[in-house]
Amino acid sequence: MERVKVTLSAQGDKLYATIKVNPAFADCAKAANYSDIPRDGERIEITSDDLFITEIGRKVKEAEAAIEKWQQFLLFPLESRKIKVAGHEVIVHFAPTNKFLWAVSVELPEALVGEIDLHTIITQLGCAFKIKKEDNKVFLIAQAESEKEYLRWIKKEMKELEKEINELREWRSQLEQRIMLPSNVRLIVRPGNQVLHYEAEVVAPYALIEKAKTCGLALGKREWINKGDYLSLSWTLRSDTEVAGFLDIIKSEVREALETEIVAQHSF
């Protein structure tokens, strides 16, 4: 395969060289992390054709040596390493790729991502990944300079992730709290998807909420969802203090609704 073609031309007393580089050769040189090949289409003035041709030949040989080394690197076998994370099996796949880098694919089972959200995982790892979803699995795609160093790093980070998962499991194992309020209104507080986060649900009868809406009361201005036999209101709370504050607000709004009576209605 012709790699580089040099055309010499004269214009008066000046000597020029025009360079043509085979695109396939240029692509391989780039993949082999060799950047000193001449630019395709370049026309430059030279003082000595012998010296210039010798220099071009040297660069071509260097590029060929780099390409051969890179092609040998590509022959390294694909490897996979399994890491146990809180009972889940995370698999890290390595494959040789361009510029002597390793293509890395961190395979996360669906059950693990179900326990701790993907954003938290990526935040813990602190790296930029491309995300690919396939066959109920999530793959985090990246590149690494060293297979061993990357594996050492990912194991360390997975241990930290395991701690977070265990903390979440302990948090979510708490029993929900049910607080009864007047007029069959209930506040149900459950542990949320993050530690110290709560999911609160207020359950109330239709009649009370309809009266609150009719009278323009605070309880009636909330976004209630029809659950068939009752109305429901959901709220995310981020601390015990927020739970206590939310309970006080709901108590006050329920009390206001109970103390309000419709005395007359007029339609025109």
Side-chain angles (χ1 to χ4, degrees), residues 117-158:
D117 66 271
L118 194 55
H119 175 73
T120 301
I121 295 173
I122 293 175
T123 300
Q124 172 64 44
L125 296 178
C127 284
F129 291 98
K130 289 183 180 178
I131 300 172
K132 179 178 150 187
K133 296 184 179 181
E134 183 179 298
D135 297 331
N136 296 325
K137 297 173 184 175
V138 175
F139 295 87
L140 305 180
I141 311 298
Q143 288 187 330
E145 293 182 2
S146 167
E147 178 187 10
K148 290 182 180 179
E149 288 300 319
Y150 193 91
L151 189 59
R152 187 179 296 116
W153 169 79
I154 198 75
K155 283 182 176 179
K156 175 178 173 291
E157 295 301 326
M158 285 299 166

Side-chain angles (χ1 to χ4, degrees), residues 49-116:
D49 56 342
D50 289 339
L51 288 175
F52 183 78
I53 295 300
T54 299
E55 179 67 10
I56 293 296
R58 180 187 67 78
K59 291 181 178 181
V60 169
K61 286 181 180 179
E62 287 179 351
E64 288 176 329
I67 290 170
E68 183 178 357
K69 185 178 178 182
W70 165 65
Q71 289 173 335
Q72 290 297 318
F73 173 73
L74 292 181
L75 295 178
F76 278 97
L78 306 181
E79 295 191 41
S80 297
R81 295 287 186 270
K82 296 179 180 179
I83 305 173
K84 289 292 184 181
V85 182
H88 302 289
E89 188 173 82
V90 173
I91 306 176
V92 186
H93 304 279
F94 294 95
T97 187
N98 293 347
K99 297 187 177 183
F100 299 95
L101 296 173
W102 290 92
V104 183
S105 175
V106 182
E107 180 183 329
L108 306 174
E110 185 180 36
L112 186 149
V113 180
E115 279 207 82
I116 186 166

Side-chain angles (χ1 to χ4, degrees), residues 14-33:
K14 294 183 178 181
L15 185 62
Y16 295 92
T18 304
I19 301 168
K20 179 66 177 176
V21 180
N22 186 314
F25 179 68
D27 288 344
C28 286
K30 183 179 179 182
N33 212 24

Side-chain angles (χ1 to χ4, degrees), residues 8 103 111 139 163 167 192 213 223 227 242 255 262:
L8 301 176
F139 295 87
K163 289 179 184 177
E167 286 176 3
K213 287 181 179 180
E223 295 183 7
K227 290 296 183 78
E242 286 193 13
R255 185 166 53 248
I262 298 175

